[in-house]
Every structure is written in C-alpha cells, then in structure tokens.
Amino acid sequence: QVQLVESGGGLVQAGGSLRLSCAASGRTFSPAAMGWFRQVPGKEREFLGSITWSVGTTYYASSVKGRFTIFREAAKRTVYLQMNSLKPEDTAVYYCAYRGIGDSQYDYWGQGTQVTVSS
C-alpha cells in the first residue's frame, strides 16, 4: 500500500504562484512515475503532467506546459507541482497519483488539495 498526502493548496490571485507537495509513504513505495491531475466539479479529471521516478523525465499537458513544473525529491519521497502565472481557470482540486512499475494506470491517489485562483 502507498499513501499520498497533498498540501500547499489555497487561494491566490491571478498571475500568482503556488507550489503543491505530495508526500508518499508506505512499505511498497517504488513508483515508475508520479502524476498530477486536477478536477473541477462536473468535469472529468484532467491529466497535468508526470515525472518518472528513476530518471526524472517530465511530461506535461499542453494546457499547463510552460507554466507548471513537476520535480521530485526522491530521498523525501515527495513530488512537487510548481504552478506559475496562475489563471482563474486553474481553479480545481489537485491530486497526485502513483503509478507502479509495469502498471499502465495510476494505482494510488491522494485526497486532493483545493486551489482557487481569483481574478
């Protein structure tokens, strides 16, 4: 089992920045990748990006590329989402997720953290 806990959400003005953290715990922690997603009520969950755990290669959705950055601290089992130039449409609940080695989907999810961007 793997437990994920997000933090760092809050209220920010448009144009501002926030950094989300996702701390992982669990005896079987050995991810292939960690991902970040967000969801607005009534809409499907949106993939934002991911990072491979061993090498640190990152992938981003076009909607956030250039504004959001994912990085990790492997020793702390923590992955981050640095969000810059925030827009009101970035308002959502943000989730981190864990994808195990050999898995094609994300197996474990955090509880989510609310990000609200005011105009």
Side-chain angles (χ1 to χ4, degrees):
Q1 285 283 351
V2 175
Q3 295 79 41
L4 304 175
V5 178
E6 300 100 335
S7 61
L11 175 65
V12 63
Q13 288 189 332
S17 298
L18 274 179
R19 178 178 294 179
L20 306 184
S21 301
C22 173
S25 62
R27 296 175 60 184
T28 58
F29 183 80
S30 182
M34 298 288 290
W36 283 96
F37 297 75
R38 67 187 179 189
Q39 190 166 24
V40 175
K43 293 189 176 182
E44 291 189 359
R45 187 172 293 176
E46 178 187 8
F47 170 78
L48 301 177
S50 64
I51 184 167
T52 62
W53 200 253
S54 60
V55 179
T57 303
T58 52
Y59 304 89
Y60 297 97
S62 57
S63 59
V64 302
K65 195 171 185 178
R67 297 191 300 125
F68 290 10
T69 302
I70 298 173
F71 60 100
R72 81 217 187 295
E73 289 188 269
K76 294 183 178 181
R77 294 185 175 185
T78 301
V79 62
Y80 303 90
L81 179 66
Q82 176 67 41
M83 305 185 292
N84 299 328
S85 302
L86 284 163
K87 307 173 183 179
E89 51 264 42
D90 293 318
T91 296
V93 178
Y94 284 70
Y95 300 89
C96 66
Y98 169 109
R99 181 163 60 83
I101 296 172
D103 292 340
S104 60
Q105 59 187 12
Y106 289 86
D107 303 309
Y108 299 100
W109 296 80
Q111 82 288 352
T113 185
Q114 175 71 44
V115 172
T116 303
V117 184
S118 64
S119 57

